[in-house]
Amino acid sequence: MAKKAKKRTARGRKQDRTRVAGGQDYEVSYEAKKTRKSAASVKKAVKKVGNSRKRVERRLGSVSTKKRTR
């Protein structure tokens, strides 16, 4: 009998958008540029509140913390 193919979902992609990887320079620089803060302050925020993008932006005082709809 043939194996059933796994159903592909967009879950992994969606999860990736909601996280800030504190150790990844491109993620940190993107968030720093977006919030107009230093990379050090972004890393500090990630360490303090975790890697949730929403929480990090709230901690940094970002203007737009609206929920994305897609």
Side-chain angles (χ1 to χ4, degrees), residues 7-38:
K7 188 176 176 182
R8 289 185 157 237
T9 63
R11 180 184 169 117
R13 200 176 298 165
K14 185 175 181 183
Q15 285 178 338
D16 288 344
R17 277 193 223 124
T18 61
R19 305 286 178 213
V20 177
Q24 299 292 324
D25 289 335
Y26 61 90
E27 286 280 344
V28 172
S29 64
Y30 169 77
E31 197 62 43
K33 187 177 180 181
K34 183 177 171 185
T35 58
R36 295 182 181 167
K37 303 286 182 179
S38 68

Side-chain angles (χ1 to χ4, degrees), residues 23-70:
Q24 299 292 324
D25 289 335
Y26 61 90
E27 286 280 344
V28 172
S29 64
Y30 169 77
E31 197 62 43
K33 187 177 180 181
K34 183 177 171 185
T35 58
R36 295 182 181 167
K37 303 286 182 179
S38 68
S41 62
V42 172
K43 283 186 179 185
K44 192 174 180 180
V46 169
K47 196 169 190 173
K48 185 78 174 176
V49 298
N51 66 349
S52 168
R53 188 171 299 274
K54 193 179 205 180
R55 286 193 213 149
V56 169
E57 288 175 357
R58 197 177 310 138
R59 174 82 179 178
L60 293 171
S62 175
V63 175
S64 74
T65 55
K66 291 180 182 178
K67 191 174 183 181
R68 292 183 186 181
T69 54
R70 272 201 180 173

